[in-house]
Amino acid sequence: MSQSPLHVVILAAGKGTRMYSKLPKVLHEIGGEPMMARVIDTARSLNPAGIHVVIGHGKEMVRERVKRDVNWVEQTEQLGTGHAVKMALPHLPPEGRTLVLYGDVPLTDTATLEALLEAAGSEVGLLTDVLDNPAGYGRIIREGGKVVAIVEEKDANPEQKAVKETNTGILVLPNAKLESWLNSLSSNNAQGEYYLTDLIALANADGIAVRPVQVAASYLAAGVNNKVQLAELERIFQTNQAQALLTAGVTLRDPARFDLRGRLKHGQDVVIDVNVVLEGEVELGDNVEIGANCVIKNAKIGAGTKIAPFSSLENCEIGTAAAIGPYARLRPGAKLADEVHIGNFVEVKNTVMGKGSKANHLTYLGDAEIGSQTNIGAGTITANYDGVNKHKTVIGDDVRIGSNVVLVAPVSLGNKVTIGGGSTITKNCEDNTLVLARARQTIIEGWIRPEKESKK
Ligand code: UD1
Ligand code: CA
């Protein structure tokens, strides 16, 4: 049995009319990744000699967005699945095997494909399913237990339509036979297409065995034709991820209300409350707690840190034992050291904060460098933008900034500076100074308020 080399052909030229979208079907996402990218990554896990992706509708966008190193093959006219595989034929060597996958079947896993390759040997392997409602699928026709043909729904007679064993579309073929089989396909059928499925009867005619392997669960070979099916597979994908995280010791208050669109690295005793969305690369240290309704994208959060509800974090780093939120917004470049506190309605962008510093209420910190043990009062704003350029604000250690202070950048405050509430700071402040930059209070005693005539 020659079992190498393995080539993978992924079919993705169809239009996806029922998605009602300008986006090509295979670019719609499952778990934050285009379906096509997932299929390619799964194919890659089999270490094939080549991956050939057949594209047609929306080909430029698919190539550009999927960003994977594969052999893109064009099918200008969609004349059927058999015709689509034929487009890849010039790129397939005469020996070895070819596995056919689909860009809109996103959740097939490596184990399923390995089992199929194993069963196929050097002959034909066919991935099948058994469905209560097989309508729309190609039916597996057996004679004396042997798989002899696939009949498409539209070509099936009532007896064949009653068969519940269906074709998933995924199959393995011996390259030695591929060219002759593909060249003998005809489009003389109900849909006027060149059916890949006709290869099963051709294999039988050539005395090559067809070895069926039934999927362990339908989702592993389920395709997406509309948004209903996309949503169903997304939920299955999320449920599987949640189960894996629970199994690995992460507490999810409700696994049905948790979404991971990327990868999560986690320590021990991590607790995640309901409606949390994690995107990209997220790392949570030991004992991290994420409150309800937080959205966290590309973030590294140190041990013991708590993120309170309704916080939004993106491209940021937080040390250990910090307290963030509720309603905090950490934007790209927020780098917070251990024990930092960021409270409600505080926005932090491109700003480094040293150990133990706090900004607890209603504040904007942008393009700033803040030392340790500094307290930023409520309503403090770094005015970092002059309409053209962004400027930096530097704040030392152990600084106390009162409420409602505007720091007009570029400006720097030394260590142990105290700023009176309501100040607008435009000049640098030296270490150990008290700075007031606000109008003095005026009191007029015995002031008689004007009153309306009618009141007299
Ligand atoms: C196909 C199978 C059917 C199986 C079903 C599983 C055939 C003839 N039928 O039917 O037995 O039960 O899948 O979902 O293979 N494509 C191209 N170029 C083409 C035609 C199709 O790239 O010229 C791609 C489509 O983008 C799609 C896939 O191949 O991703 C399947 O094509 P589709 O026409 O949807 O086949 P089905 O009718 O679903
Ligand atoms: Ca289909």
Side-chain angles (χ1 to χ4, degrees):
M1 285 203 301
S2 101
Q3 298 207 354
S4 64
L6 173 68
H7 280 255
V8 181
V9 174
I10 302 175
L11 304 192
K15 196 168 181 188
T17 315
R18 285 171 288 162
M19 296 298 273
Y20 299 104
S21 170
K22 290 213 167 74
L23 196 65
K25 177 162 77 173
V26 295
L27 290 182
H28 287 268
E29 295 180 351
I30 294 282
E33 279 261 36
M35 292 193 278
M36 181 82 251
R38 291 198 173 275
V39 178
I40 292 172
D41 292 347
T42 305
R44 186 80 69 206
S45 74
L46 301 166
N47 294 311
I51 298 177
H52 315 275
V53 185
V54 182
I55 47 176
H57 284 284
K59 57 183 189 292
E60 282 86 14
M61 217 196 278
V62 173
R63 236 182 273 178
E64 191 183 306
R65 302 251 186 115
V66 167
K67 292 191 196 84
R68 296 290 192 283
D69 183 23
V70 296
N71 178 31
W72 299 105
V73 177
E74 256 183 65
Q75 185 194 27
T76 38
E77 257 187 306
Q78 278 71 58
L79 302 178
T81 48
H83 180 261
V85 173
K86 200 173 168 182
M87 297 299 101
L89 201 52
H91 308 279
L92 304 173
E95 72 283 357
R97 306 187 288 172
T98 295
L99 170 67
V100 181
L101 301 177
Y102 300 82
D104 57 0
V105 179
L107 298 186
T108 316
D109 62 7
T110 308
T112 299
L113 297 175
E114 279 172 345
L116 179 66
L117 289 164
E118 173 72 27
S122 58
E123 301 189 271
V124 174
L126 182 66
L127 196 65
T128 64
D129 196 5
V130 175
L131 299 171
D132 284 339
N133 176 13
Y137 292 91
R139 307 299 206 284
I140 308 291
I141 308 303
R142 291 185 184 246
E143 270 171 24
K146 264 176 53 181
V147 174
V148 295
I150 295 173
V151 178
E152 291 303 295
E153 166 94 15
K154 287 183 178 139
D155 301 287
N157 62 38
E159 191 192 331
Q160 293 166 331
K161 277 189 188 158
V163 172
K164 294 189 167 179
E165 190 179 15
T166 58
N167 171 35
T168 66
I170 295 174
L171 77 177
V172 194
L173 302 158
N175 288 9
K177 293 288 177 186
L178 207 47
E179 187 170 2
S180 76
W181 288 349
L182 289 173
N183 283 332
S184 49
L185 290 179
S186 101
S187 60
N188 185 17
N189 53 50
Q191 298 183 80
E193 289 180 5
Y194 296 91
Y195 291 163
L196 184 64
T197 45
D198 285 350
L199 261 52
I200 300 305
L202 292 170
N204 272 271
D206 272 354
I208 302 222
V210 175
R211 307 198 190 281
V213 170
Q214 197 187 322
V215 283
S218 290
Y219 78 84
L220 291 165
V224 170
N225 293 309
N226 55 42
K227 298 279 173 84
V228 174
Q229 292 166 339
L230 185 71
E232 280 169 5
L233 289 192
E234 176 73 27
R235 207 28 42 211
I236 290 169
F237 177 79
Q238 292 299 345
T239 302
N240 290 349
Q241 284 191 141
Q243 294 302 319
L245 290 170
L246 290 166
T247 305
V250 175
T251 299
L252 298 175
R253 294 287 186 216
D254 181 358
R257 285 179 290 168
F258 168 75
D259 289 80
L260 170 58
R261 302 179 192 142
R263 277 148 299 276
L264 171 61
K265 264 178 85 176
H266 60 85
Q268 254 188 334
D269 296 307
V270 165
V271 177
I272 299 177
D273 211 331
V274 300
N275 295 329
V276 167
V277 178
L278 304 181
E279 297 178 65
E281 305 290 332
V282 175
E283 204 177 319
L284 307 178
D286 291 348
N287 299 299
V288 164
E289 287 178 25
I290 311 290
N293 301 295
C294 288
V295 178
I296 301 179
K297 180 174 185 177
N298 297 324
K300 193 174 166 187
I301 302 177
T305 287
K306 290 182 174 42
I307 313 291
F310 296 99
S311 294
S312 162
L313 281 60
E314 182 177 357
N315 289 66
C316 58
E317 236 178 88
I318 308 169
T320 61
I324 311 297
Y327 297 98
R329 180 169 183 212
L330 303 187
R331 291 173 52 199
K335 243 190 117 185
L336 314 181
D338 300 346
E339 294 159 42
V340 162
H341 288 193
I342 297 293
N344 40 240
F345 308 105
V346 173
E347 175 180 349
V348 184
K349 184 216 75 173
N350 189 31
T351 287
V352 178
M353 273 176 96
K355 186 173 176 181
S357 286
K358 298 183 169 83
N360 274 328
H361 335 263
L362 303 159
T363 286
Y364 172 63
L365 300 171
D367 303 305
E369 205 180 292
I370 302 167
S372 58
Q373 308 301 337
T374 280
N375 192 69
I376 312 281
T380 295
I381 304 291
T382 53
N384 59 332
Y385 188 50
D386 61 15
V388 180
N389 302 301
K390 300 274 168 68
H391 298 284
K392 198 164 177 182
T393 301
V394 178
I395 302 171
D397 297 335
D398 212 3
V399 169
R400 298 281 170 271
I401 297 180
S403 298
N404 214 31
V405 166
V406 181
L407 302 166
V408 182
V411 71
S412 79
L413 317 185
N415 297 327
K416 292 201 171 175
V417 168
T418 304
I419 308 277
S423 292
T424 295
I425 303 298
T426 54
K427 295 190 185 107
N428 293 346
C429 308
E430 298 296 316
D431 291 356
N432 304 305
T433 49
L434 167 65
V435 184
L436 300 165
R438 62 190 186 209
R440 277 174 187 273
Q441 181 167 315
T442 304
I443 300 178
I444 296 168
E445 283 175 39
W447 168 249
I448 296 162
R449 262 189 282 177
E451 278 182 42
K452 286 190 179 157
E453 290 289 336
S454 58
K455 281 202 176 172
K456 282 182 184 168

